């Protein structure tokens, strides 16, 4: 069942998104070579609780931590560890979710660890751009396939792989609600989008193939060919015009179009 949110509900999701945005900014600033992914998780949990929110990942289907830390060829669901020390030249995707006043927000960013190779920075840039290409299509009366098609088109134009086994999702009172939001698809196909739908759109883009493997821990998912993968996610609200990015307060589509990189 796909829920439609009213303005009062959207306002609660807006507040949750604003808190999450601030936390992810702080986590990104804290990333440096030599730190363990577990220390980043401890900082995340402290920030979430200090804001009066609840970490939604912690104990979710048994997940042991408050963030997923997915380094280099890890696509998603990396479990923070005190033996995993970040190295210069790596990239880390930080995926974080929280509940504030009963409403969920979910967002992920990929950040460099120290100096990284230009081609790896490009992967991060294109993955973010894939999100915005998809988000542009998240407008009432479009179809779900329009979003996936837009994400896939930009990724494949750059010879990147679009992870298919993992998707975005509806979000609201629960972290994962209907519908699934794939990062590939056919334009004009799938569920018709409606004003008031709230979804997490989250491209996961690899420098190589889109095949993935599950790690022995039952959580960590890596690219099968070992290529680096980036992840970028926001919780958005669909309306009649361009969507509101609930986990990115202050974002303006006007500014975005003014600064858009044309060559990507
Ligand atoms: Mg997430
Ligand atoms: Mg998500």
């Amino acid at each position: 069942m796909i829920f439609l949110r009213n303005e009062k509900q959207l306002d609660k999701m807006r507040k949750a998104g604003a808190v999450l945005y601030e936390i992810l900014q702080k986590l990104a600033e804290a990333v440096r070579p030599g730190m363990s992914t577990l220390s980043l998780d401890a900082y995340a949990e402290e920030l979430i609780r200090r804001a009066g929110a609840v970490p939604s990942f912690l104990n979710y289907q048994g997940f042991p931590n408050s963030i997923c830390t997915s380094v280099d060829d890890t696509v998603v669901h990396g479990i923070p560890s005190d033996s995993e020390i970040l190295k210069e030249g790596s990239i880390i995707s930080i995926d974080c979710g929280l509940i504030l006043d009963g409403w969920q927000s979910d967002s992920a960013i990929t950040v460099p660890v120290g100096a990284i190779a230009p081609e790896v920075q490009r992967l991060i840039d294109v993955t973010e751009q894939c999100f915005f290409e998809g988000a542009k299509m998240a407008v009432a009366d479009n179809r779900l396939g329009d979003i996936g098609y837009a994400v896939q088109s930009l990724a494949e134009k750059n010879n990147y792989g679009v992870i298919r086994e993992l998707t975005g999702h509806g979000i609201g009172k629960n972290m994962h609600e209907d519908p699934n939001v794939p990062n590939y698809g056919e334009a004009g196909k799938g569920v018709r989008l409606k004003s008031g739908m709230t979804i997490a759109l989250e491209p996961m883009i690899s420098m190589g193939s889109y095949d993935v493997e599950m790690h022995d821990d039952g959580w960590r998912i890596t690219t099968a060919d070992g290529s680096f993968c980036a992840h970028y996610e926001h919780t958005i609200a669909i309306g009649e015009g361009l969507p509101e990015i609930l986990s990115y307060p202050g974002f303006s589509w006007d500014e975005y179009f003014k600064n858009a990189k044309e060559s990507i």
Side-chain angles (χ1 to χ4, degrees):
M1 171 166 186
I2 299 176
F3 297 97
L4 303 180
R5 318 294 175 190
N6 61 33
E7 193 49 40
K8 206 171 148 195
Q9 295 168 325
L10 285 177
D11 200 47
K12 299 222 169 176
M13 291 186 73
R14 211 168 268 137
K15 289 189 173 115
V19 168
L20 180 53
Y21 176 82
E22 290 299 324
I23 290 171
L24 274 173
Q25 294 303 303
K26 288 195 172 114
L27 295 176
E29 282 164 24
V31 167
R32 58 184 163 68
M35 85 185 300
S36 75
T37 50
L38 190 65
S39 66
L40 198 62
D41 173 71
Y43 184 39
E45 182 171 359
E46 183 195 326
L47 292 171
I48 293 168
R49 297 208 188 274
R50 208 193 286 162
V54 175
S56 54
F57 293 6
L58 187 63
N59 301 320
Y60 181 83
Q61 295 181 356
F63 190 80
N65 295 85
S66 296
I67 52 172
C68 299
T69 49
S70 303
V71 177
D72 294 345
D73 62 339
T74 299
V75 178
V76 284
H77 305 164
I79 296 179
S81 160
D82 58 0
S83 62
E84 184 178 46
I85 306 299
L86 295 177
K87 291 191 211 72
E88 178 105 18
S90 278
I91 55 173
I92 177 172
S93 136
I94 308 168
D95 193 351
C96 187
L98 57 77
I99 308 162
L100 185 72
D101 200 13
W103 290 86
Q104 300 260 353
S105 199
D106 186 8
S107 181
I109 50 174
T110 298
V111 296
V113 182
I116 59 169
E119 63 268 27
V120 179
Q121 183 62 52
R122 182 172 173 83
L123 172 71
I124 293 176
D125 293 345
V126 171
T127 302
E128 290 185 10
Q129 191 66 34
C130 282
F131 166 85
F132 289 103
E133 288 300 309
K136 273 193 241 173
M137 303 309 291
V139 176
D141 286 334
N142 277 355
R143 303 254 185 189
L144 207 51
D146 295 321
I147 299 177
Y149 177 78
V151 172
Q152 181 181 14
S153 298
L154 181 62
E156 292 182 352
K157 191 176 125 194
N158 284 277
N159 294 315
Y160 293 149
V162 174
I163 307 303
R164 288 152 190 263
E165 287 179 48
L166 298 139
T167 68
H169 47 91
I171 179 168
K173 284 284 222 188
N174 295 298
M175 178 160 53
H176 293 129
E177 296 181 351
D178 291 336
N180 284 337
V181 182
N183 295 302
Y184 61 93
E186 276 184 66
K189 295 277 169 68
V191 168
R192 193 177 287 283
L193 304 176
K194 287 191 183 146
S195 211
M197 281 173 65
T198 45
I199 59 172
L201 173 60
E202 50 180 314
M204 290 152 265
I205 308 294
S206 125
M207 286 174 90
S209 141
Y210 56 71
D211 289 325
V212 295
E213 280 172 0
M214 170 73 82
H215 190 260
D216 294 342
D217 66 14
W219 283 103
R220 186 155 72 95
I221 291 174
T222 54
T223 55
D225 62 5
S227 57
F228 276 27
C229 186
H231 181 201
Y232 189 74
E233 174 182 30
H234 280 296
T235 297
I236 68 177
I238 293 170
E240 299 300 323
L242 288 163
E244 180 178 354
I245 306 182
L246 298 168
S247 54
Y248 196 164
F251 173 82
S252 142
W253 282 104
D254 285 347
E255 281 297 306
Y256 169 81
F257 287 119
K258 229 183 279 170
N259 301 325
K261 293 177 194 164
E262 281 171 25
S263 59
I264 219 160

